[in-house]
Amino acid sequence: MNALTPNRLEAPAPVGLLAELTHRCPLRCPYCSNPLELDRRSGELDTAAWQRVLKEAAGLGVLHVHLSGGEPTARNDIVEITKTCADLGLYSNLITSGVGGALAKLQALYDVGLDHVQLSVQGVDAQNAERIGGLKNAQPQKFEFAAKVVELGLPLTLNSVIHRGNIHEVAGFIDLAVKMGAKRLEVAHTQYYGWAYVNRAALMPDKAQVDESIRIVEAARERLKGQLVIDLVVPDYYAKYPKACAGGWGRKLLNVTPQGKVLPCHAAETIPGLEFWNVNDHSLGEIWRDSPAFTAYRGTDWMKEPCRSCDRREKDWGGCRCQALALAGDAAATDPACSLSPLHAKVRALAVEEAAENPPDYVYRTIGSNVRSPFKEEVHS
Ligand code: SF4
Ligand code: FES
């Protein structure tokens, strides 16, 4: 073991906790990163369990809690849970669709110390946005919600997930963020996990569209310096190197599902054979340090070539394990999004082919559906 190969069991302190409070959501976005088998309300952790998890997270060194879902404001106890974050000194970020009961709870959330709001927008044109999100009349509710966030003086981030159905609106998203008074905009090209993997052919843009969207973002960053920060997540299939998914497996992030399973990333359950521990049976600290799922791909010992001898291995940690499983059939393989992967050319060709075809209809996210991951054209087969 040398300095460049840290012990896989050596666990740094986690920075963030993604608290998936519920999978219930009024929207039905076809790119949702939640699993295909969504948790039902009856199995959700109760208030006391979430409060214990938050306390343990603070003890572990977690700084940020992302209150997410589904739609977190669908929980009746969202205000209580947010207050617990504030009491523990945890920075709370509400990741919300801004529809349903979100607006009605916003003042109370502010009053108990909510720190930040991240609002999703599916499109700029209302009709397009509502077709993507699968909910009529969503856009005016989002506008009203955003106005209230800004009126309260809460920092607002807009999150736009980009795909072939809205990539022509990237300039519009930037204008919208400015108009709404957001401090930050995420232009996040779809990552193909969960429902997005099922809908990949319907969502995949072509390379020229992607390049144009990047050009628009770069120009706007220059123009809006000091006014709006724009984060850009480029699409994996067209990238040169993969991203450090979840900041590196078991290095920064804990993801707690509505039923209390703790995952190293939101799609980890797609990897067969991994054992996930539940907060009902173990403390968060035990899970972070010792659970089989967290230690499986922590550090670099598990890596194969070309990652094993690559000088980027502690920058991107080999990319995404879930994508490696989906595309290469082996979660320990180099993420095929990486240009050094032997499968990269095939993945790129697949994206080009899908983007050139007429998009199929969306398979909308639904609780209790029988949708299964297609794995129809794994590039390794
Ligand atoms: Fe990252 Fe592995 Fe690609 Fe190197 S070979 S850039 S470590 S994914
Ligand atoms: Fe699981 Fe990337 S989504 S490691």
Side-chain angles (χ1 to χ4, degrees), residues 23-29 70-71 73-74 97-101 133-136 141 365:
H23 279 159
R24 289 173 282 139
C25 185
L27 291 185
R28 300 183 294 136
C29 304
E71 173 50 53
T73 61
S97 62
V99 301
L135 181 72
K136 285 214 161 37
Q141 292 183 63
R365 174 200 196 273

Side-chain angles (χ1 to χ4, degrees), residues 241-242 306-307 310 312-313 316 318 334 338 340:
Y241 296 119
C307 292
C310 178
R312 291 180 56 87
R313 67 185 179 280
D316 62 35
T334 294
C338 177
L340 302 173

Side-chain angles (χ1 to χ4, degrees), residues 193 243 245-246 249 264-268 270-271 319-323 335:
Y193 320 118
K243 63 189 177 311
C245 199
W249 186 278
C265 69
H266 52 258
T270 59
I271 300 178
C320 175
R321 296 310 88 230
C322 303
Q323 188 150 269
D335 183 346

Side-chain angles (χ1 to χ4, degrees), residues 43-366:
E44 291 175 3
L45 294 179
D46 63 16
T47 315
W50 276 114
Q51 288 174 321
R52 176 175 55 77
V53 167
L54 292 168
K55 196 167 171 205
E56 290 174 359
L60 261 180
V62 164
L63 302 173
H64 302 132
V65 175
H66 305 283
L67 301 165
S68 178
E71 173 50 53
T73 61
R75 295 250 333 188
N76 292 333
D77 56 2
I78 183 65
V79 175
E80 243 174 304
I81 289 172
T82 306
K83 181 175 184 310
T84 303
C85 291
D87 291 347
L88 291 165
L90 292 164
Y91 186 91
S92 56
N93 174 28
L94 182 75
I95 301 180
T96 179
S97 62
V99 301
L103 180 61
K105 292 177 179 166
L106 187 54
Q107 180 72 52
L109 290 167
Y110 172 78
D111 290 342
V112 295
L114 177 68
D115 290 301
H116 182 271
V117 175
Q118 180 181 316
L119 173 66
S120 68
V121 274
Q122 282 63 37
V124 178
D125 170 71
Q127 212 182 345
N128 192 38
E130 291 169 13
R131 184 183 72 85
I132 295 165
L135 181 72
K136 285 214 161 37
N137 202 33
Q139 199 78 335
Q141 292 183 63
K142 285 172 184 277
F143 279 53
E144 207 184 332
F145 182 86
K148 181 72 179 170
V149 172
V150 173
E151 185 194 311
L152 288 170
L154 276 168
L156 173 68
T157 294
L158 280 198
N159 170 269
S160 57
V161 175
I162 304 298
H163 47 83
R164 72 197 285 185
N166 64 8
I167 196 164
H168 60 286
E169 297 188 309
V170 166
F173 279 118
I174 295 166
D175 293 344
L176 188 64
V178 171
K179 193 169 136 202
M180 282 180 166
K183 296 267 180 269
R184 187 176 279 268
L185 169 68
E186 292 177 352
V187 177
H189 281 270
T190 307
Q191 307 292 304
Y192 294 99
Y193 320 118
W195 292 83
Y197 189 67
V198 174
N199 282 296
R200 193 179 62 197
L203 299 170
M204 185 67 74
D206 69 33
K207 178 78 165 59
Q209 290 174 309
V210 170
D211 290 346
E212 175 63 4
S213 71
I214 294 171
R215 193 197 59 74
I216 291 170
V217 167
E218 281 170 356
R221 275 177 172 161
E222 224 13 72
R223 193 175 73 242
L224 298 169
K225 230 178 228 167
Q227 188 181 357
L228 180 72
V229 175
I230 309 177
D231 296 323
L232 176 68
V233 178
V234 297
D236 278 343
Y237 288 40
Y238 293 121
K240 187 170 180 199
Y241 296 119
K243 63 189 177 311
C245 199
W249 186 278
R251 299 193 67 77
K252 294 197 166 159
L253 189 77
L254 294 141
N255 184 144
V256 183
T257 71
Q259 295 188 349
K261 259 191 247 174
V262 189
L263 317 177
C265 69
H266 52 258
E269 286 178 284
T270 59
I271 300 178
L274 281 187
E275 182 188 327
F276 303 102
W277 289 1
N278 193 297
V279 295
N280 288 319
D281 308 315
H282 299 274
S283 74
L284 214 53
E286 281 172 344
I287 297 172
W288 175 253
R289 280 186 301 273
D290 302 325
S291 69
F294 274 82
T295 53
Y297 302 110
R298 179 175 278 144
T300 56
D301 284 2
W302 56 272
M303 286 180 176
K304 299 178 178 176
E305 293 296 347
C307 292
R308 197 169 182 78
S309 56
C310 178
D311 60 8
R312 291 180 56 87
R313 67 185 179 280
E314 290 184 33
K315 287 197 180 89
D316 62 35
W317 304 98
C320 175
R321 296 310 88 230
C322 303
Q323 188 150 269
L325 186 270
L327 296 174
D330 175 6
T334 294
D335 183 346
C338 177
S339 53
L340 302 173
S341 158
L343 295 173
H344 183 71
K346 281 190 183 174
V347 168
R348 173 71 74 99
L350 203 97
V352 169
E353 192 187 311
E354 284 183 347
E357 285 168 9
N358 282 334
D361 290 341
Y362 293 145
V363 177
Y364 284 104
R365 174 200 196 273
T366 321

